[in-house]
Amino acid sequence: MKTKRLLMTAVLAAACWSGMYAQQTQELPDRIKMGQERVKVRRDISLPQIDGYDLLKCDFHIHTVFSDGIVWPSLRVNEAWEEGLDAIALSDHVEGQPAREGMKKGDLDLAFKNAEDEALRRGIILIKGAEISRSMPPGHLNALFLNDVDALQKDDVVEALREAHRQGAYIFWNHPGWNVKEVKWHDMHERLWKEGLLNGIEVFNEFEWYPKALEWAKEKKLTLMANTDVHDVIERLYDRTQVSHRPLTLVLAKEHTAAAIKEALFGGRTLIWFYDTLIGKEDYLKKFFEGAVRVQPSHYATEASAYVTVTNTCDVPFRLEAALEVKGYPSFIQLPARASVVVSVPKNGTNPVAYKVTNLLTAYEQCIEVSLF
């Protein structure tokens, strides 16, 4: 009898455990979602207007998987949108196709076609471009605003550039200091310039800037360009602890359209911005500074000094150094991006003080002067 009771107890316990296990199993969720995908947001870049022109933030030298880049074209659009850009040009190499294993040689307009819809969705101006890549001279040149990239496949580089010109393209010389022993203006460049086949020049490319190129631009009235020449994912190219933005060509455009950008590029209306340095024509740079900086009336004064707030409303910081030491005025002023500082000046000062803005350059080691206070 005792054995029977023990057996009965064991059966009941097993049944109870089985029921509890089944109940627990039924109540467990199929899956638990942890975290979520990163929210895609745009970081807007604040810049002043100049003479009523908007400053469009542009990168005109970008590669995709359709040449020797590693990024799909539509992702290039998303990268640009998140970083606050207004326009990009996809400029895959005409020569050396296909550069990536598994990619077939064919339609050279495919990069543009695969990015066009995403550009429309994101409001990014997408410009059809190509990089004509030959040995030096003339080296590599980008052609923008093309209709048919395939038509540039010609043995003679001059004929390729003439074809781009026939399509109404804007043409600029890329990275003149890349992979050469000497940065030099060759007879070939003179020929292209005289024939109207050279309209601009990269003064900055990726991590390098070329003071000689800036001098050639001034001498030949070439439009200034600064671009990334990015092949990798953009987030892996630049260390965001050191720089807040990619190198950019700032285009003074009448409106937010490809046609307005094209008109401005041919008109020479650009500034270039890399790291904290802004380079361009003196008139543009002074108006940029004046449009960005506000000096407020004194909010407090002692018998000798007045305290004023100086505000920088844009994303370009400014480093100011007194052109001449004036008693009572600061020798140096650091104006971080989108920030204000308080400075002490003489209470009864009447004359404006000249400052050099050391990171706004018109030529190598030549900066603009502005008046404050």
Side-chain angles (χ1 to χ4, degrees):
M1 177 67 81
K2 184 176 180 181
T3 302
K4 189 179 290 185
R5 283 199 300 271
L6 287 172
L7 181 61
M8 202 62 162
T9 301
V11 170
L12 288 172
C16 181
W17 173 254
S18 176
M20 290 174 62
Y21 178 78
Q23 184 179 11
Q24 288 178 355
T25 302
Q26 291 173 358
E27 291 177 354
L28 288 176
D30 290 335
R31 64 192 60 82
I32 300 174
K33 188 174 178 62
M34 301 295 292
Q36 62 181 10
E37 183 178 342
R38 178 177 67 87
V39 178
K40 310 301 189 298
V41 296
R42 177 177 170 89
R43 178 193 170 275
D44 290 319
I45 298 174
S46 178
L47 301 172
Q49 284 192 331
I50 296 177
D51 290 337
Y53 293 112
D54 286 331
L55 287 176
L56 302 191
K57 288 78 69 180
C58 309
D59 187 352
F60 295 120
H61 193 168
I62 294 176
H63 294 277
T64 76
V65 294
F66 287 96
S67 64
D68 54 349
I70 67 170
V71 175
W72 193 254
S74 58
L75 181 56
R76 289 300 191 205
V77 173
N78 289 321
E79 289 177 331
W81 179 82
E82 289 189 21
E83 292 191 6
L85 273 65
D86 298 299
I88 61 172
L90 301 182
S91 57
D92 283 311
H93 299 281
V94 174
E95 296 77 14
Q97 298 289 358
R100 295 295 183 199
E101 185 177 354
M103 301 297 291
K104 294 182 179 180
K105 183 177 177 65
D107 186 355
L108 296 183
D109 295 312
L110 280 175
F112 182 86
K113 293 175 181 177
N114 279 279
E116 196 170 14
D117 288 345
E118 188 63 22
L120 291 171
R121 285 190 286 267
R122 295 288 178 179
I124 294 292
I125 300 168
L126 183 65
I127 295 166
K128 185 186 291 188
E131 184 168 15
I132 300 168
S133 309
R134 308 296 175 96
S135 59
M136 188 73 78
H140 294 196
L141 299 101
N142 268 13
L144 308 184
F145 309 102
L146 294 166
N147 300 315
D148 180 9
V149 180
D150 286 290
L152 305 186
Q153 298 183 91
K154 298 182 183 296
D155 293 334
D156 187 325
V157 64
V158 176
E159 286 304 315
L161 292 168
R162 284 172 178 164
E163 173 57 35
H165 183 71
R166 282 191 288 271
Q167 294 185 32
Y170 166 85
I171 303 168
F172 63 93
W173 181 8
N174 295 336
H175 43 64
W178 175 75
N179 200 29
V180 294
K181 293 182 179 179
E182 180 185 6
V183 180
K184 181 180 178 181
W185 181 271
H186 294 266
D187 291 341
M188 172 65 84
H189 298 116
E190 186 72 13
R191 174 187 174 186
L192 296 177
W193 174 69
K194 287 182 176 178
E195 196 174 327
L197 302 178
L198 187 55
N199 314 117
I201 189 168
E202 276 187 342
V203 174
F204 189 93
N205 174 281
E206 195 180 48
F207 296 106
E208 296 181 337
W209 90 274
Y210 310 107
K212 287 184 179 180
L214 180 55
E215 290 306 304
W216 297 333
K218 293 172 68 175
E219 177 188 343
K220 306 291 186 181
K221 294 183 170 52
L222 298 173
T223 301
L224 304 181
M225 310 293 288
N227 301 301
T228 60
D229 193 5
V230 60
H231 292 69
D232 202 345
V233 178
I234 193 70
E235 287 186 351
R236 301 201 314 180
L237 185 60
Y238 295 104
D239 183 352
R240 295 303 183 187
T241 64
Q242 296 183 22
V243 60
S244 63
H245 62 94
R246 68 171 78 184
L248 293 170
T249 302
L250 305 180
V251 178
L252 284 71
K254 296 176 181 177
E255 57 188 14
H256 287 234
T257 64
I261 291 174
K262 183 176 182 179
E263 185 272 333
L265 290 177
F266 275 111
R269 295 198 309 274
T270 65
L271 298 170
I272 59 172
W273 182 28
F274 54 91
Y275 290 85
D276 290 342
T277 300
L278 196 64
I279 296 179
K281 298 174 182 176
E282 183 176 13
D283 181 52
Y284 291 161
L285 292 174
K286 285 187 174 183
K287 289 177 179 177
F288 184 99
F289 181 88
E290 291 165 0
V293 175
R294 304 282 183 271
V295 179
Q296 306 296 331
S298 170
H299 57 270
Y300 174 72
T302 64
E303 289 186 3
S305 300
Y307 292 84
V308 299
T309 299
V310 184
T311 300
N312 179 5
T313 63
C314 80
D315 276 300
V316 178
F318 300 112
R319 298 191 295 269
L320 284 73
E321 178 183 330
L324 293 172
E325 292 289 335
V326 181
K327 185 178 179 180
Y329 289 91
S331 299
F332 301 94
I333 302 174
Q334 291 274 6
L335 269 180
R338 295 206 207 191
S340 298
V341 298
V342 174
V343 298
S344 171
V345 299
K347 181 177 181 180
N348 297 317
T350 57
N351 296 321
V353 179
Y355 282 89
K356 297 178 180 179
V357 189
T358 59
N359 62 316
L360 269 56
L361 305 180
T362 59
Y364 181 63
E365 295 186 339
Q366 294 182 22
C367 60
I368 66 166
E369 286 192 10
V370 297
S371 295
L372 289 179
F373 313 120

